[in-house]
Amino acid sequence: AAGVIQSPRHLIKEKRETATLKCYPIPRHDTVYWYQQGPGQDPQFLISFYEKMQSDKGSIPDRFSAQQFSDYHSELNMSSLELGDSALYFCASSLDSQETQYFGPGTRLLVL
Amino acid sequence: RKEVEQDPGPFNVPEGATVAFNCTYSNSASQSFFWYRQDCRKEPKLLMSVYSSGNEDGRFTAQLNRASQYISLLIRDSKLSDSATYLCVVKNHNTDKLIFGTGTRLQVFP
């Protein structure tokens, strides 16, 4: 079965640079979620979108923004990167916001 | 204090053993409950949802006690491939976010 696709899988950036992470949900899923997992930490919810509208917002820094496009894929834009942004970024998708969330393989971001 | 608490372990058990993990949550409005497993540097994968009546999936049994705000996972006949971190996850009403515990690490040895 098709799963959530994330790209890139690995990304190395320097401080103050920008990064864009992409997420392609499972076909027919209309809700996407972004989570950040720091080293040795549990995943923390950042933001979610349902039918291209922001649905819920968590601990997402103001330097980050995200959107969901008409084909339901989502992008997380990260600006003025800081060392502390180094983490695994997971995207998850579900059929709607009440259904089970399925996670993608993640993007490992390293900020130097 | 974290909203979802788990014993971090590690639990080191031999193949074939039965092992139980516990989890407590602090928000009585929590509506949905799950166990996910996460292998090192990989994504969380849904193991099972947890229902009030308790539910079983093969060697795995999950229980929910809403009065005590307590969730458990029992693994019978442990396999080497069960070695992973088990995440207790809660979802509250009217919010999209999953709230994760810090995870319990299981290591099954031959």
Side-chain angles (χ1 to χ4, degrees), chain B residues 9-94:
Chain B
F11 285 61
N12 296 305
V13 303
E15 273 186 292
T18 295
V19 61
F21 303 138
N22 302 318
C23 163
T24 57
Y25 60 96
S26 60
N27 189 341
S28 58
S30 296
Q31 188 180 42
S32 305
F33 309 90
F34 311 90
W35 284 100
Y36 278 73
R37 77 169 266 170
Q38 186 173 28
D39 293 278
C40 189
R41 303 165 86 87
K42 298 281 185 72
E43 74 273 24
K45 290 187 177 175
L46 179 68
L47 183 64
M48 57 199 304
S49 301
V50 187
Y51 304 115
S52 297
S53 53
N55 47 301
E56 186 174 310
D57 182 2
R59 298 182 293 108
F60 300 86
T61 301
Q63 297 279 351
L64 168 64
N65 184 324
R66 285 187 184 268
S68 303
Q69 296 178 199
Y70 171 96
I71 307 162
S72 66
L73 176 69
L74 183 77
I75 305 176
R76 290 182 298 278
D77 188 22
S78 298
K79 313 290 184 192
L80 294 176
S81 57
D82 293 334
S83 299
T85 296
Y86 289 83
L87 298 163
C88 178
V89 182
V90 164
K91 184 171 180 289
N92 296 333
H93 185 59
N94 282 340

Side-chain angles (χ1 to χ4, degrees), chain A residues 33 35 37 42-45 48 55-56 88 90 97-98 100-105 108, chain B residues 2 31 34 36 38 41-44 46 49 87 91 94-98 100-102:
Chain A
Y33 314 80
Y35 290 83
Q37 187 173 26
D42 48 281
Q44 295 293 316
F45 173 75
S48 59
S55 176
D56 198 0
L88 258 174
F90 291 112
S97 63
Q98 300 306 309
T100 301
Q101 297 180 26
Y102 295 92
F103 284 75
R108 186 170 294 278
Chain B
K2 280 183 69 68
Q31 188 180 42
F34 311 90
Y36 278 73
Q38 186 173 28
R41 303 165 86 87
K42 298 281 185 72
E43 74 273 24
L46 179 68
S49 301
L87 298 163
K91 184 171 180 289
N94 282 340
T95 176
D96 287 355
K97 70 175 183 179
L98 297 180
F100 289 81
T102 48

